[in-house]
Amino acid sequence: MKHQTIIVLDFGGQYNQLIARRVRECAVYCEVLPYHTPLNEILRREPIGIIFTGGPNSIYLDDSPRPDPAIFEQNIPILGICYGIHAMAYSLGGHVASPDSREYGKMITYFNTESLLFQELPQQGITWMSHSDYIDQLPDGFSSTAHTDACPVAAMEDPSRKLYGVQFHPEVLHTENGTAILRNYLYRICGAKGDWTMKDYAKNTIASLREKIGDGKVLLALSGGVDSSVAAALLSRAVGSQLTCIFVDHGLMRKNEGDEVQAAFSNQELNFVRVNAGERFLGKLKGISEPEQKRKIIGEEFIRVFEDEAKKIGKVDFLVQGTIYPDVIESGAGDAAVIKSHHNVGGLPDYVDFKEILEPLRLLFKDETRALGRELGLPDYLVNRQPFPGPGLAIRIIGEITPQKVAILQDADAIFREEIARAQWDQHVQQYFAVLTSMRSVGVMGDGRTYDYTLALRGVTTTDFMTADWARIPYDILERVSNRIINEVRGINRIVYDITSKPPATIEFE
Ligand code: XMP
């Protein structure tokens, strides 16, 4: 399963994952590594090219991150982007300066289209600049291949050593023809063949999973989310009935979700176990209103239920986890390298008797995971599913949870999702849902007084879910949602829309 590989060396810029995604969109596999990764580690991966990312530092300061100078002598094509071009110029004897006036944002840039990097591009176009330092003296052997009115070196190269750099960001959409520039680097300079496609990935991964698993038994905790669903589809294609998927339905899923998950997997060749544990969970949650306590109870109970089911299967050889690539990327700059370890089901490995963990999605970005799911024939409603928290609706019902409240929220939330989808706003809002607050207020319906719950609607735009803005959903959509919920769902007499960003709020209410 060997693909041509590009290494993205991370100098701490904000677009690093974006570079990796763009490279992969060009059908070339790539990995992100911290800038201080030892050279032999990089060479071991036999990269056909290396990209230096941007970063917030100024290269001439003492404690700025620097590449190993030997990296320039490997005859591997290197593309430096933004801080990356400064790192290249500085390391090879050029000079980087800080200008009197900042050049930031969209710039008209003039290209030398004889450069391999800019071939078949218009001679001028808009590029996106986000670093004020610039190269005022090129290293020996280099020439400038692009400039702006203020910046003499918007790109440089020494083709004899296969070294290239751009001051602007080709990976962001503000740069016209940015992808064409990256494609030129990959295909004209690195000799890429374009061997990274989801069709090939599915075929190769299925074959290698088959080989690894042999006639072993495999266990997977299916949550119904995108990652575990795609992992299940992959394993089922690889080893069929040797796979058991346990789907713990805690009764706090969205409307019809449990049945949808079951339907999607009932036609696959695998052992699908659905545990309807709603009563068990609601029993444990009775009388509990403190958010952290609710989360802990659900986490604990989940493990208990899973353990009970796993015991019936006995010893398994492999446990599958749906870890994806953004969960394993280590950040390149900063003192504390953060590795977020993601467990679809927290704590499971301690409780189940197994030999080894399989993580078949470890190399994939979220959009690649979705593409793989489509390739494997999963239905769109599963593949395009928005994130849904493990504790489910329990953290979207403020205060104590009752079966009635769960039913009210499921109905209201389904209407919200239906109307957003009907208006085709689901492409613009990364997460949207309803929350049943514990507030009751007075209303009037017909000629009578009501004293019912307030429902909150939440919609956010975000790229990483770490920060988020509230989504500007048009009033007429909100109006339709409000009318339908009031008319169709009993128990709600007031609806509000949440207009706080994260921070200071979080996306979920609890
Ligand atoms: P917050 O509320 O922290 O949510 O802004 C950020 C993102 O994480 C999701 N979320 C969870 N996902 N288990 C999960 O798998 C959880 O316990 C959990 N809590 C929050 C949330 O839906 C949002 O996408």
Side-chain angles (χ1 to χ4, degrees), residues 295 387-391 395-396 431 465 502 506-508 510:
R295 279 176 175 273
F388 186 62
I395 57 169
R396 293 179 181 172
Q431 200 172 3
F465 296 90
K502 170 188 178 178
T506 53
I507 295 176
E508 304 288 348
E510 287 195 338

Side-chain angles (χ1 to χ4, degrees), residues 341-510:
S341 77
H342 167 117
H343 296 282
N344 273 356
V345 187
L348 261 187
D350 293 343
Y351 293 84
V352 182
D353 195 7
F354 67 100
K355 233 169 45 191
E356 198 178 330
I357 291 184
L358 297 176
E359 296 180 312
L361 310 178
R362 223 184 137 75
L363 301 181
L364 306 185
F365 283 108
K366 192 80 176 184
D367 40 357
E368 292 174 317
T369 304
R370 292 187 205 277
L372 177 61
R374 271 180 229 115
E375 183 65 41
L376 295 168
L378 285 180
D380 276 351
Y381 63 77
L382 264 192
V383 169
N384 295 334
R385 190 155 266 181
Q386 49 171 318
F388 186 62
L393 300 183
I395 57 169
R396 293 179 181 172
I397 294 172
I398 310 300
E400 192 187 350
I401 299 161
T402 63
Q404 292 74 23
K405 286 187 184 176
V406 174
I408 291 175
L409 181 56
Q410 280 177 332
D411 286 343
D413 180 70
I415 291 172
F416 187 29
R417 286 186 291 125
E418 239 172 72
E419 289 300 330
I420 291 283
R422 198 196 309 273
Q424 296 184 340
W425 258 74
D426 41 353
Q427 304 143 26
H428 308 297
V429 192
Q430 280 67 46
Q431 200 172 3
Y432 51 98
F433 51 87
V435 173
L436 190 64
T437 76
S438 53
M439 187 180 96
R440 294 172 78 190
S441 67
V442 175
V444 53
M445 213 177 243
D447 289 327
R449 174 186 189 273
T450 58
Y451 186 57
D452 282 332
Y453 287 109
T454 297
L455 185 86
L457 301 175
R458 178 89 163 132
V460 294
T461 54
T462 175
T463 50
D464 55 9
F465 296 90
M466 308 289 281
T467 61
D469 197 5
W470 59 276
R472 272 55 170 181
I473 297 174
Y475 286 166
D476 56 336
I477 302 176
L478 291 174
E479 184 185 19
R480 262 198 310 279
V481 174
S482 169
N483 283 342
R484 275 196 61 195
I485 292 175
I486 294 292
N487 282 314
E488 295 173 37
V489 185
R490 295 192 76 141
I492 295 169
N493 68 353
R494 192 178 293 271
I495 297 175
V496 296
Y497 186 59
D498 183 349
I499 51 167
T500 33
S501 59
K502 170 188 178 178
T506 53
I507 295 176
E508 304 288 348
F509 274 34
E510 287 195 338

Side-chain angles (χ1 to χ4, degrees), residues 22-42:
R22 292 278 177 267
V23 170
R24 289 185 182 199
E25 280 162 18
C26 294
V28 183
Y29 175 67
C30 92
E31 281 183 46
V32 183
L33 296 177
Y35 74 90
H36 49 71
T37 306
L39 185 56
N40 59 1
E41 273 291 304
I42 296 171

Side-chain angles (χ1 to χ4, degrees), residues 122-363:
Q123 284 179 330
Q124 74 176 64
I126 302 290
T127 66
W128 178 259
M129 305 266 191
S130 74
H131 206 300
S132 52
D133 289 352
Y134 72 107
I135 296 164
D136 65 351
Q137 193 187 320
L138 288 164
D140 283 347
F142 279 80
S143 59
S144 168
T145 51
H147 65 276
T148 68
D149 291 333
C151 174
V153 184
M156 67 171 191
E157 68 184 36
D158 178 354
S160 67
R161 285 190 281 172
K162 301 184 186 161
L163 302 178
Y164 296 79
V166 289
Q167 166 84 28
F168 55 87
H169 287 275
E171 71 278 18
V172 305
L173 292 177
H174 306 305
T175 295
E176 289 173 358
N177 297 307
T179 303
I181 295 170
L182 284 175
R183 276 193 79 84
N184 278 345
Y185 168 67
L186 298 169
Y187 286 83
R188 293 177 198 267
I189 297 171
C190 301
K193 296 197 288 252
D195 60 6
W196 177 252
T197 65
M198 277 307 116
K199 196 182 177 76
D200 288 344
Y201 181 80
K203 199 175 85 198
N204 294 336
T205 308
I206 287 168
S208 74
L209 281 169
R210 253 183 215 145
E211 191 181 340
K212 182 170 181 78
I213 294 167
D215 55 6
K217 265 203 238 175
V218 185
L219 180 61
L220 182 146
L222 189 67
S223 70
V226 179
D227 304 345
S228 70
S229 296
V230 174
L234 198 56
L235 265 301
S236 123
R237 290 273 289 275
V239 296
S241 57
Q242 286 158 252
L243 169 69
T244 302
C245 290
I246 298 179
F247 168 48
V248 177
D249 185 345
H250 51 26
L252 297 157
M253 309 283 281
R254 286 166 288 200
K255 190 172 183 179
N256 299 332
E257 196 165 26
D259 294 341
E260 285 173 8
V261 173
Q262 184 166 2
F265 287 95
S266 58
N267 57 357
Q268 311 242 2
E269 200 199 327
L270 51 79
N271 302 307
F272 180 86
V273 181
R274 174 176 177 180
V275 192
N276 288 317
E279 279 184 27
R280 191 168 159 172
F281 278 86
L282 285 180
K284 291 275 174 188
L285 288 165
K286 199 167 168 25
I288 308 291
S289 56
E290 206 280 315
E292 270 313 295
Q293 219 181 338
K294 287 199 232 171
R295 279 176 175 273
K296 286 210 180 86
I297 288 171
I298 293 168
E300 265 295 311
E301 203 53 22
F302 193 96
I303 289 170
R304 293 283 97 77
V305 175
F306 192 86
E307 194 180 22
D308 288 351
E309 290 306 314
K311 269 189 201 139
K312 294 180 192 162
I313 303 168
K315 185 167 169 42
V316 294
D317 302 283
F318 301 93
L319 186 75
V320 184
Q321 293 205 321
T323 319
I324 64 171
Y325 194 53
D327 305 325
V328 298
I329 295 184
E330 192 181 336
S331 157
D335 294 333
V338 183
I339 304 172
K340 194 183 91 187
S341 77
H342 167 117
H343 296 282
N344 273 356
V345 187
L348 261 187
D350 293 343
Y351 293 84
V352 182
D353 195 7
F354 67 100
K355 233 169 45 191
E356 198 178 330
I357 291 184
L358 297 176
E359 296 180 312
L361 310 178
R362 223 184 137 75
L363 301 181

